[in-house]
Amino acid sequence: MRLNALLSSRQCIIPADGFYEWKQEGKMQAAYAYPQERSWHFLADWSVRYLGRSGG
């Protein structure tokens, strides 16, 4: 898809070269990284949210 088409359809491409997994270790959580040799690309929908002065 071309960039203009992605922007007008409110979609984006997210590149990733690995992922994280959270594991519980007692009372703590630890993040484990799993790098990958090949990159992945995710297609996602996005929207704009405007917050008022109160931030809510």
Side-chain angles (χ1 to χ4, degrees):
M1 266 186 143
R2 303 186 109 206
L3 181 59
N4 289 341
L6 286 172
L7 292 175
S8 65
S9 66
R10 294 187 182 244
Q11 294 180 335
C12 62
I13 297 175
I14 304 168
D17 60 358
F19 63 95
Y20 287 91
E21 183 175 298
W22 292 89
K23 293 188 179 181
Q24 191 76 29
E25 294 183 351
K27 293 185 179 183
M28 303 288 290
Q29 284 188 342
Y32 291 91
Y34 296 95
Q36 303 294 312
E37 291 184 19
R38 297 184 61 184
S39 64
W40 301 333
H41 296 86
F42 299 95
L43 182 63
D45 295 325
W46 61 273
S47 63
V48 178
R49 180 178 173 199
Y50 294 97
L51 301 176
R53 290 183 181 215
S54 65

